[in-house]
Amino acid sequence: MTENSTTIDRRRFIQATMASTAVLGGVSSAGALQSSGNTQYSIEQKGKCIPIEPLSMSGLPVEEFYDYRTPDTDPMSYKYASFGTESLQRDDTSLLFLYEGPKGLSLVMIHDKLDSDGGGAVSFRITSLPVQGKFVIKDDQYDGSTNRDTFDYSVTRDWNGNKSANAVVHWTWQGGRSDGGVYRGLGNDFEFTIHPQFNKQALLSDEGGEYQGDVKKWEVLSGNVNNPTRTELKMNEPVKITSKSCSAETTAQQKTTSGGGEKTTSPAKTTSKPSDVNSGGKSFFGKLWDGIASVLNSVVSFFTSLF
């Protein structure tokens, strides 16, 4: 069976258009920094709820994303710290966020910034963790007198026989380094609470010398890992992280009466670049790609309908 030249040319055009779409799609998916697009998760503190979207890098397991380096790793470092999150780290700031990887959802915690002045100390008591999860990174985990960090983990059972896990982690680090950890395996249904203790309240705060330093901010990150939204948390209050989205009641701003008038108060402060606020966390190039993909898909659909 033979085909006329017009039909062949049209089909070649469609194939070329579809190939171009695939190539551009490959460029988009191969981009090192992406967001997962899932905003169903939330973090609550003092009755206020903040929607959070897990950070993600295309196909990259959380261990590679965190990139914990010691003298025994390749590449190696004597700083015993996360190098993969260096662009996210901030001086004298403790971070927490969810990370979506090929092996599931993780809780990531990072304290301080590489090559910054001063050390510090943090203690977290985490209750009701999913039992199917585990710490896949303990920063620090090595044998030596300089490793003072401890990761205590236990599983409990309630009256109904339901299991949950609890963890108590104490960190302290020297100036020029950072600290942290990763708990992977949160699953699709979870609700756990972090009870924080920073600086003088942390167990290892009296180590002295090069370990002295203050954490001045506690932030939760959300959205595009290349340009995440940063929400400042209260450092002396627990936070609850859940797989449920915020309700209308918890996201509404609290109103308090003061001096006969009404003022709006917010226990958490969110900082984000204008492009993130206006586009739901997408960068300029993300919006540009969405537009290109939409046009190409329309072209393909039009010419396909001719046959």
Side-chain angles (χ1 to χ4, degrees):
M1 179 179 177
T2 60
E3 298 178 284
N4 60 50
S5 60
T6 302
T7 301
I8 294 174
D9 289 344
R10 286 178 177 174
R11 290 187 177 177
R12 284 178 178 172
F13 176 82
I14 293 172
Q15 291 172 351
T17 305
M18 294 177 69
S20 299
T21 304
V23 169
L24 288 172
V27 171
S28 175
S29 64
L33 305 176
Q34 297 186 352
S35 65
S36 68
N38 190 338
T39 56
Q40 71 176 7
Y41 308 106
S42 61
I43 183 170
E44 298 179 23
Q45 188 179 57
K46 291 201 71 176
K48 299 288 289 197
C49 187
I50 307 159
I52 53 175
E53 176 184 345
L55 277 58
S56 183
M57 296 182 75
S58 182
L60 196 67
V62 70
E63 296 95 330
E64 296 180 32
F65 167 75
Y66 193 92
D67 192 10
Y68 177 54
R69 299 186 188 181
T70 75
D72 298 321
T73 60
D74 184 17
M76 59 85 71
S77 173
Y78 284 96
K79 292 189 175 182
Y80 296 90
S82 169
F83 280 74
T85 64
E86 190 171 3
S87 63
L88 298 174
Q89 297 167 16
R90 295 291 183 271
D91 190 20
D92 298 331
T93 301
S94 176
L95 306 177
L96 66 85
F97 55 89
L98 300 180
Y99 180 87
E100 186 69 61
K103 297 182 180 180
L105 190 68
S106 301
L107 169 68
V108 181
M109 299 157 285
I110 305 167
H111 313 302
D112 219 334
K113 180 177 177 60
L114 280 169
D115 300 321
S116 62
D117 295 332
V122 175
S123 293
F124 278 179
R125 180 169 60 90
I126 313 175
T127 57
S128 300
L129 283 165
V131 293
Q132 70 269 20
K134 64 178 181 179
F135 281 100
V136 294
I137 294 178
K138 297 178 179 180
D139 180 355
D140 296 318
Q141 184 177 33
Y142 64 91
D143 294 328
S145 60
T146 58
N147 182 14
R148 295 166 168 82
D149 295 359
T150 61
F151 287 75
D152 295 326
Y153 180 82
S154 63
V155 175
T156 59
R157 190 187 302 265
D158 63 19
W159 292 105
N160 296 319
N162 299 317
K163 293 181 179 180
S164 65
N166 301 306
V168 178
V169 186
H170 302 293
W171 291 278
T172 188
W173 62 94
Q174 302 178 23
R177 301 185 180 185
S178 64
D179 225 330
V182 175
Y183 189 86
R184 185 177 63 204
L186 297 180
N188 298 320
D189 185 14
F190 58 85
E191 182 177 295
F192 60 89
T193 302
I194 300 177
H195 305 264
Q197 292 176 295
F198 292 98
N199 305 322
K200 295 299 183 181
Q201 285 71 44
L203 180 68
L204 302 177
S205 64
D206 59 351
E207 293 299 312
E210 56 196 356
Y211 291 92
Q212 290 298 305
D214 286 333
V215 176
K216 298 176 182 177
K217 284 185 180 181
W218 190 23
E219 295 180 341
V220 59
L221 307 187
S222 172
N224 193 315
V225 71
N226 191 36
N227 185 27
T229 298
R230 296 172 176 267
T231 302
E232 188 172 341
L233 303 169
K234 289 185 176 296
M235 297 176 63
N236 60 348
E237 296 287 345
V239 296
K240 180 172 68 176
I241 302 177
T242 174
S243 55
K244 299 177 178 62
S245 59
C246 293
S247 65
E249 291 78 11
T250 55
T251 53
Q253 286 185 320
Q254 282 184 326
K255 291 184 177 181
T256 60
T257 303
S258 176
E262 199 173 58
K263 66 177 182 179
T264 301
T265 62
S266 175
K269 180 172 65 177
T270 301
T271 58
S272 173
K273 291 188 177 181
S275 61
D276 286 339
V277 174
N278 297 329
S279 62
K282 285 191 176 182
S283 66
F284 168 78
F285 293 104
K287 293 190 292 181
L288 179 63
W289 162 244
D290 287 346
I292 294 173
S294 177
V295 172
L296 289 175
N297 286 333
S298 298
V299 172
V300 172
S301 298
F302 171 75
F303 281 98
T304 301
S305 67
L306 295 178
F307 305 96

